[in-house]
Amino acid sequence: MSFILASGSASRRAILENAHVEFEVDPADIDEGAVKDSFSGDPAALALKLAELKALEVSNRRSGALVLGSDQVLEFDGAAYDKARSVKEAEDRLRQLRGQTHYLQGGIAFARDGEIVWRHQATSMLVMRDFSDAFLADYLENAGDILTKGVGCYAFEGLGAQLFERTEGDYYAILGLSLIPVLGALREHGVLAG
C-alpha cells in the first residue's frame, strides 16, 4: 500500500525521512484562507479540520493510498495566528510573543478512499523568553526564510530554539508532526511492520 504525505512541508518530510518511513509527497490543494475565514471553532479544532481536508483532498484522487494530512495553528490569547507574510510582520509577531506563553495546536488525519480513518490532535505549550531588542535584531538578520515559513516565525529545530525559556509537549509536534502517534497508526494500517 502506498503512503502519501499531503504536504510540501520540508519539516514534515524530514521527520518522516529521519524515521526511515517510505512515502510519496503529493501536496493538497485546498483554500486554507477560506477555511480559516469561515471556521468558528477553537484553534485546536481548526488545525484538525485543515488536516482532515488536506488528507481527503489527496485521498479522493489517489485511490487505495493511505494519505496523511497535517496542519498546525499558533494560538495566543485564544486567537489563531497564520504565517507572517513579511519580515516586518514576523518582527511584530515576535515582539508580541516575547515573554509570553503561546500554544501550537497540531492536527493530523489519515484518509483512505475519501474517508478519514484516523485522527490525532496535539497541543504544545511554548514560553518565549524576554529577549533583548539586540537579540531580536540579530535573530531577524540571521533567520532567513523561517520567518515566514512557520506560524511562530521560528524553526524550533534550529536557530528558533534560542527564542525560548521553556516548552511542554511533544518535540515532534512542535516541529509540525507528532511522529510517535503517526508511526503507531502506520503500523495499525499495515504501512509499517508490527
Side-chain angles (χ1 to χ4, degrees):
M1 172 194 319
S2 63
F3 171 50
I4 298 170
L5 174 63
S7 169
S9 163
S11 177
R12 291 184 183 112
R13 235 180 5 253
I15 290 168
L16 291 172
E17 287 169 352
N18 290 338
H20 296 268
V21 175
E22 291 185 22
F23 62 98
E24 296 175 55
V25 174
D26 187 353
D29 184 19
I30 66 166
D31 186 347
E32 290 190 43
V35 174
K36 291 172 183 175
D37 290 344
S38 66
F39 195 80
S40 59
D42 65 24
L46 174 59
L48 191 55
K49 179 68 172 177
L50 288 164
E52 290 173 349
L53 290 172
K54 290 176 180 180
L56 288 169
E57 194 278 327
V58 174
S59 175
N60 283 327
R61 53 188 166 80
R62 300 293 297 266
S63 179
L66 186 65
V67 179
L68 173 104
S70 183
D71 208 286
Q72 189 176 59
V73 174
L74 186 147
E75 178 182 357
F76 178 63
D77 277 348
Y81 286 75
D82 211 345
K83 294 174 185 167
R85 292 169 296 223
S86 67
V87 173
K88 175 63 175 130
E89 188 176 335
E91 178 181 3
D92 293 345
R93 170 96 35 91
L94 290 167
R95 286 185 186 282
Q96 185 180 26
L97 296 175
R98 177 169 53 184
Q100 303 293 319
T101 299
H102 69 271
Y103 299 88
L104 291 177
Q105 302 292 357
I108 304 171
F110 281 172
R112 181 185 289 131
D113 295 324
E115 285 188 35
I116 298 296
V117 296
W118 183 86
R119 54 178 60 84
H120 177 79
Q121 197 280 321
T123 299
S124 305
M125 182 194 78
L126 296 92
V127 181
M128 262 193 198
R129 62 188 188 83
D130 192 10
F131 46 79
S132 67
D133 287 342
F135 173 86
L136 178 58
D138 186 64
Y139 177 81
L140 292 167
E141 183 176 323
N142 291 297
D145 67 354
I146 65 173
L147 294 170
T148 55
K149 294 286 184 194
V151 293
C153 310
Y154 51 82
F156 188 77
E157 66 274 28
L159 178 62
Q162 292 192 33
L163 295 167
F164 294 95
E165 176 181 310
R166 185 166 57 93
T167 64
E168 288 181 16
D170 176 358
Y171 172 75
Y172 292 109
I174 293 171
L175 300 187
L177 185 70
S178 296
L179 178 63
I180 303 306
V182 165
L183 294 175
L186 289 173
R187 286 189 292 273
E188 178 185 328
H189 288 277
V191 174
L192 295 179

